[in-house]
Amino acid sequence: MKLQTLLSYLHDFTTYVGENPTITSIEMDSREVKKGSLFICIKGFTVDGHDFAKQAVENGAVAIIAERPLDVDAPVIVVRDSRRAMAVLADAFYGQPTHQLHLIGVTGTNGKTTTTHIIEHIARKANKKTGLIGTVHIKIGDDTYPTKNTTPESLLLQRTFKQMVDEGVDVAVMEVSSHALHMGRVHGCDYDVAVFTNLTQDHLDYHETMEEYRNAKGLLFSQLGNRYDHKRPKFAVLNNDDPASQYYKHMTAATVITYGIETDSDIMAKRIDIVPSGMSFDLITPHGTVRVKTRLIGLFNVYNLLAAVSASLVSGIPFSVIVEAIEEISGVAGRFETVDEGQNFTVIVDYAHTPDSLENVLKTIRQFAQKKVYVVVGCGGDRDRTKRPLMAKTAVKYADVAIFTSDNPRSEEPEQILRDMEAGVSRERYVTIVDRKEAIYYAIEQAQEGDIILIAGKGHETYQIIGDRVIDFDDRLVAREAIKERKNIC
């Protein structure tokens, strides 16, 4: 695509008269630039792309998008907001791929990953080719790719959607984080269905207040579209038991579909029965009521299932297919995932990293626990400090023994993070072990027959961020090693 053709998608107030090279790629990382690239200077939290413009030109960039004039040997197009411009240009360069997909976005504090995976499984059961973008990975058909953020930057996002279109994907499902919405990463994404799971405290280091956090989530619904296109209708799927849904109903012109357990809703679950091996409940929908069984466990997973069922129904998937699919689902990596090496106690790894999600998981465990419950838990560094004492309070309230430890301390001293946690509890029923591996080993050494250990906070993650180092660390692998060593000693 020619530069001037590409720039024509920007506002008329962005003027450019000059060379008109062919743009072969768009890049925001100067190291990825090659001959023919358009380089976009993005201001990040730690680095500024403007500082790498000369390197980009040396690597072959034929034009630069920037927020200020730059002294480089290539045309520089100055825009007011380069991140917003990047979303427009990426959408245009890749041929507006989301217009050719059925796109479902899921936002909320907890449950995004599980809900998107359930939706993807249902769509595959309906013989759709699927794409998935989220915390665990990017998936196109059966192929998976790593991802750094829950929701990638607009450039990678549109590039990924283009790949999905090229590979014949019908339905794309993605997690949409509050950061991504606030920063405009999803500008240009043409969502057909927007799903809200729940709103509880998280990310206040970024959003500062719960009101601002709620507002950021609401952008997904306010951007859902304001016209009634009966050939391609838009739907907002809302958790009717969460008060924030009343706010989101007023933010969208799309058709609203509600789900819930306590509040009268379009899609509901009643007579819920939870046992250690799974759950059963009456699934009530406008398409009929059926008793369903699932291997997923916990009331929070009932909500995740209801959200997925609602999104699938409005996406035109037959009710019978949906029921078959949810009865097949076994779980998602790092979400209430058991570590079984033949030991006589239970070890569960879960991503729970907010007070609400930790409470949900521990309350679920309490429903079938017959002996002691241990929890290994920490709080991330350089993140919301106000939730640290709340996490500790929740751990002590629902577990017999809480073990406070490190969880991606980043630039902070782990000991200070633990002191912040301890401020929320009395001295009883908890211990502090700074080293996460030692904490997991300690819990497994202490466990007796019939006890349950929850290792919370990291779930599927395979790393620890300590200072400026990223080291290999997987709670599941560490737990397996600890169990094997204990068995060998015994």
Side-chain angles (χ1 to χ4, degrees), residues 115-222:
T115 300
T116 53
H117 279 73
I118 297 171
I119 295 171
E120 193 244 1
H121 180 79
I122 293 171
R124 286 171 70 96
K125 184 72 175 179
N127 296 317
K128 306 288 185 181
K129 185 164 185 179
T130 59
L132 178 69
I133 299 173
T135 306
V136 177
H137 53 225
I138 292 172
K139 186 179 179 187
I140 301 176
D142 294 323
D143 299 323
T144 59
Y145 308 87
T147 182
K148 293 181 179 179
N149 299 312
T150 296
T151 312
E153 284 283 2
S154 59
L155 182 58
L156 175 57
L157 204 51
Q158 296 299 336
R159 185 181 296 160
T160 302
F161 288 139
K162 176 63 164 63
Q163 184 180 349
M164 289 182 181
V165 170
D166 290 344
E167 296 189 21
V169 165
D170 304 300
V171 177
V173 193
M174 65 179 292
E175 297 180 48
V176 188
S177 70
S178 59
H179 290 75
L181 287 159
H182 188 260
M183 296 171 70
R185 292 180 193 165
V186 296
H187 284 171
C189 295
D190 186 16
Y191 292 100
D192 297 287
V193 182
V195 180
F196 169 62
T197 59
N198 50 66
L199 188 75
T200 61
Q201 181 174 334
D202 200 13
H203 304 305
L204 296 192
D205 55 302
Y206 181 85
H207 297 290
E208 296 186 350
T209 68
M210 283 299 294
E211 183 179 19
E212 287 302 314
Y213 181 40
R214 180 198 65 180
N215 293 346
K217 295 287 188 188
L219 291 171
L220 181 62
F221 304 97
S222 64

Side-chain angles (χ1 to χ4, degrees), residues 12 15 28 46 54 64 95 170 179 189 225 238 259 263 291 294 327 346 363-364 372 392 405 422 438 441 456 475:
D12 289 342
T15 58
M28 58 179 288
T46 56
K54 285 188 177 181
I64 305 290
D170 304 300
H179 290 75
C189 295
L238 304 177
Y259 67 91
T263 310
R291 186 77 178 171
T294 174
E327 293 191 335
T346 301
K363 285 172 73 174
T364 296
K372 280 187 177 181
T405 190
E422 289 178 286
E438 289 182 16
Y441 268 70
D475 283 350

Side-chain angles (χ1 to χ4, degrees), residues 102 126 128 235 310-319 322:
H102 182 79
K128 306 288 185 181
F235 295 94
S310 303
S312 300
L313 283 173
V314 300
S315 297
I317 297 176
F319 184 47
I322 293 171

